[in-house]
Amino acid sequence: CIYCHNRDMLDLKNYTAFSAEELINKIVQYKPYFGDKGGVTISGGDPFFQPKFLLELVRLCKKNKINVTLDTCLFTTKESIDSVLPYVDVFMVSLKHFDPETHKFLTGVSNERILENIKYISDLPENKRPRIWLRYVVLPGYTDTKKNLSALVSFLHKTNFELIELLP
């Protein structure tokens, strides 16, 4: 993306690779801190860029009774979403823009798949639907236009979400 709410991930010079098993061993050490109500937020870039690793990690989290939040834009396949659905408590989804061309300019991809995937999760039966938190970066001159904000409001009226977070 041209902008990123997770700037820490842009510099990977000090990157350390872990297997899912190694990572869960580190995570479990913090379980006394977050207890039964807390958990792990898996972010990145985007956790769906490594779907096999993501599936293995979320399975291990659930096996260890650890709640899972995925911080994602949902630019992925329905198969990848379906694979992790039983293990994810919250999808924290970053919305970038509602015009497909502007979205492509800002992120390199169109928003169609992303919006379809949000609706896909939103339309799941309530007993199978994880919580959805939406995050929207307010970027002057790009995402704060009347047309785009109207599209956001219209989309929200058609979506089962728990909260929307406006990020400056």
Side-chain angles (χ1 to χ4, degrees):
C1 296
I2 288 178
Y3 63 94
C4 182
H5 74 276
N6 197 357
R7 302 284 306 165
D8 298 335
M9 294 308 301
L10 296 180
D11 180 12
L12 295 177
K13 291 178 189 163
N14 296 317
Y15 174 76
T16 303
F18 292 98
S19 69
E21 189 69 42
E22 290 170 323
L23 192 52
I24 197 66
N25 288 336
K26 290 184 173 292
I27 292 168
V28 167
Q29 294 175 23
Y30 293 93
K31 195 171 176 189
Y33 170 73
F34 53 75
D36 293 335
K37 294 188 181 185
V40 172
T41 299
I42 303 171
S43 185
D46 195 295
F48 280 109
F49 288 165
Q50 300 180 64
K52 289 178 184 176
F53 177 82
L54 175 62
L55 177 57
E56 188 177 351
L57 182 59
V58 297
R59 279 183 179 159
L60 289 170
C61 285
K62 283 300 163 188
K63 182 179 176 183
N64 286 278
K65 296 180 173 55
I66 296 171
N67 294 323
V68 174
T69 297
L70 290 188
D71 184 354
T72 176
C73 74
L74 281 179
F75 185 76
T76 190
T77 64
K78 286 191 176 48
E79 293 78 20
S80 289
I81 293 170
D82 286 341
S83 73
V84 300
L85 268 174
Y87 312 102
V88 176
D89 301 287
V90 179
F91 278 87
M92 184 168 33
V93 184
S94 298
L95 295 167
K96 305 293 189 198
H97 206 280
F98 283 87
D99 176 72
E101 290 305 312
T102 305
H103 193 280
K104 190 170 186 172
F105 168 75
L106 293 171
T107 69
V109 298
S110 175
N111 63 357
E112 291 160 350
R113 180 188 298 181
I114 293 165
L115 297 176
E116 286 172 10
N117 285 337
I118 294 169
K119 285 295 293 166
Y120 174 69
I121 295 170
S122 171
D123 291 343
L124 289 170
E126 193 172 345
N127 64 335
K128 295 186 181 203
R129 182 176 61 237
R131 294 158 47 211
I132 300 172
W133 296 351
L134 300 171
R135 305 178 93 206
Y136 186 79
V137 177
V138 181
L139 186 63
Y142 289 98
T143 64
D144 67 344
T145 65
K146 183 175 183 176
K147 180 179 178 183
N148 198 60
L149 291 173
S150 293
L152 169 64
V153 169
S154 176
F155 182 76
L156 294 176
H157 282 292
K158 298 181 263 179
T159 307
N160 293 305
F161 66 98
E162 184 175 295
L163 82 98
I164 178 141
E165 194 176 12
L166 299 177
L167 305 171

